Amino acid sequence: MAYLEGKLGWALLLAAGLLFPQFTGNDYHLTVMGTAYIFAIATIGLNLITGYTGQFNLAHAGFMAVGAYTVGILTVDHGWSFWGAFALSGVVTAFLGYFIGILSLRLKGHYFSIFTLCVGYIMFLVIEKWEGLTHGTVGIMGIPAPEPIGAVRFDTPLALYYLVFFWLVLGLWAMRRIVNSLLGRTFMAIRNSDELAESLGINLMRNKTLAFMLSVFYAGMAGGLYAGYVRFIGPGVAGVEHTFDMTMYMLIGGLGTLLGPLLGALAMPWLTQYLQFLQEYRFLVFGPILVLLVIFVPHGIVGSYLGWRARRAAQGVPHAQD
């Protein structure tokens, strides 16, 4: 029954995404949702290393910027097609993530997070100061839109919306396969206890590094999509505030769940949009809402629902035996 409910829920979400353009009022709403999809992809990647493996990476936005600048530099400065550059965005980011991972993952807990925070700030400074490569504070303008695939063109907000939606669905499908596999259970064992996982014969460093590389691969792909979607990137893409935004999405939706980060990443941008009429005072409403959610729903919306369903199922066992 739970399996059928899960399949039905994912089918409804897929239908909602496909039909959203039919009910939206204008291209602005498509742009907001498309951007939310891109950050949802990055958040799903962050959830793998943080929610499933137990390592809080504060450089995640920096890795997203690496993917974005890979596309920007290759297309604008070297004349590559978008698709060729996009194919390398995740690969380049994962390659860099390997070396940073084998250094940072020797640390645990807060020390790992502080180290990655410093790494993220170094990434931001490199992007801002290395003008010969990244164009510095000016950023990279004129990034080409994705080239047509056959008769399908990507020169309208609607086409770009469906392009990003496709990659979100593909990313969710792949992540679902990962977390439900033996590899995903290995990551969760490491999250629960390093010592216990090691006693079971799990190679901690190898599996942590693999989780880190997969996580930043998602960030790099999201960054590559972002570059082709907005057609302009600047150093602000690497700002740590984006990592904190993605962390907020995970906490609100449900850390260590597949659906939670997705719902958080899609719901929070719309909440901020609808609070814009308050201007600078909107955070007086937004802030307390977040605090209340963290206090009273500590496992996030999806995590709390799954916990409630598990307790309900456990309570029903004796009755079934009667």
Side-chain angles (χ1 to χ4, degrees), residues 247-261:
T247 303
M248 177 180 64
Y249 302 155
M250 290 191 301
L251 291 174
I252 291 173
L255 193 65
T257 67
L258 189 58
L259 182 58

Side-chain angles (χ1 to χ4, degrees), residues 14 17-18 33-34 37-38 41 44 82-83 86 149 152 154 158-174 218 221 225 229:
L14 177 62
L18 290 172
M33 186 60 90
Y37 287 163
I38 292 171
I41 294 171
I44 292 165
F82 171 83
W83 293 115
F86 176 65
I149 299 178
V152 181
F154 303 101
L158 179 62
L160 287 172
Y161 168 88
Y162 280 118
L163 172 66
V164 174
F165 181 69
F166 167 80
W167 285 105
L168 174 62
V169 172
L170 183 62
L172 278 168
W173 175 82
Y218 269 72
M221 294 288 283
L225 281 174
Y229 193 77

